[in-house]
Amino acid sequence: MTTSMNRPHHRLANGLARVGLLVLTCLGANALIQAAAPASSASAVFTDSSAAGLAGTKRVAITSVLVSFQASTSNRTDTNGILANKSDTEAKMVWPTMDPAELGAITDEIYAQLRTDLAAHGFEVVPEATVLASPTYQQIVKLAAFSNFSKYGNMEGDVMLVEASSLKPYVPFSLEVGTFPYPFKGVIKGWSSKDTGGLTANSTYYTADLPKLEVALAKELNAHVVKATYLVTLGSAKAGTSGRMFRAGSAHSGSSVTNTHTAEIFPQVGIRATHTRIAFRTPTGKPKGQTTSRAKPVPAKDGDVVVTLAQPLLGATDLFSFTSASQGKGVWGLAPGADMKFTFTATLTDPKAYHDEVVAMAKAAQEDLLALVQQ
């Protein structure tokens, strides 16, 4: 990994606080695992369901294989509390130059592997042509479809949503997927596809009929409707601020504060737990769908039987190079956001290794998920 380091020394608005050295530090795999891993020690778990819900038929019809490729992540220091440092730092890691063709090739390979893995675990996979020709599937597309390669967001930052090329990505029903997959924390300026038919947060509120249509499709094809969702991570970022107060003058009539702002990133390709899942909508499922918490980022329940990855899969840390830049608030301190912002911009240096790594981890995730529903 290469970095472009700089030593900004920007005077902030109060004329007293100064910016310290920009730091690029590897946090280490253990730190990332501790931060990302859920409480469960199992590789995969059911989300409010069980394999018994699949007893009616061994047929499955795949309607979606959607991969969210994380394009950014960030961290900002907390200024809450009486004793908190009031000078903020933000660290950003961004990958704005994603290659849609490469991401599409990865997703298509994951789709092909899913078909193979479902058959290996005892399921009869309905031919894709049969699914696409279904009038009910066409209703689903009309109700909820959006453009492929959609720039979107989630609670960690920005993502690129990529569907298998022969399928059509469609919007989930908002009450079934919790709060995580919403663009609350956009990091890359202008990262949005809303003007080109891409997914928007508002569009998920108009698909209340989606569960009913998926149940109808399951009945029509005598098969469980399968949707597979994967979240490929970029890594983590950490911001820090520390300050010291200095007395000035013989009578201690004044004081100054010197702040040091630091930023750390740890790039690592991986498959995120909790939001990587395979959902089965059954012919006897609930037409009104499921309900998840709207107060916290909980696992999605976008099916009658949902198997969720419970532990993250972590891969290579050397597939990107980085350049860095820093920006303060300026002389008048009127700019929005943190007092100091550090941005680390990623460039993929080995596309083939990235491709192979993601596909291998997705295959491992599928093995863990499908082991729970072995037929």
Side-chain angles (χ1 to χ4, degrees), residues 113-166:
Q113 186 65 52
L114 177 63
R115 297 180 65 86
T116 298
D117 289 347
L118 282 166
H121 283 79
F123 292 97
E124 175 192 350
V125 182
V126 175
E128 181 187 87
T130 301
V131 177
L132 300 184
S134 162
T136 309
Y137 175 79
Q138 294 300 323
Q139 285 184 270
I140 290 173
V141 170
K142 183 177 180 180
L143 171 72
F146 61 91
S147 297
N148 205 0
F149 305 106
S150 181
K151 295 178 179 179
Y152 192 55
N154 57 35
M155 294 185 75
E156 290 188 354
D158 302 290
V159 291
M160 177 80 81
L161 301 177
V162 184
E163 177 65 76
S165 59
S166 56

Side-chain angles (χ1 to χ4, degrees), residues 2-10 19-24 260-263 322-328 340-345:
T2 61
T3 60
S4 173
M5 306 295 290
N6 52 43
R7 191 186 297 268
H9 201 69
H10 181 83
V19 175
L21 172 68
L22 172 62
V23 181
L24 177 63
T260 300
H261 300 261
T262 61
F322 289 87
T323 57
S324 62
S326 59
Q327 180 183 7
M340 195 64 195
K341 304 172 187 177
F342 296 113
T343 301
F344 298 86
T345 302

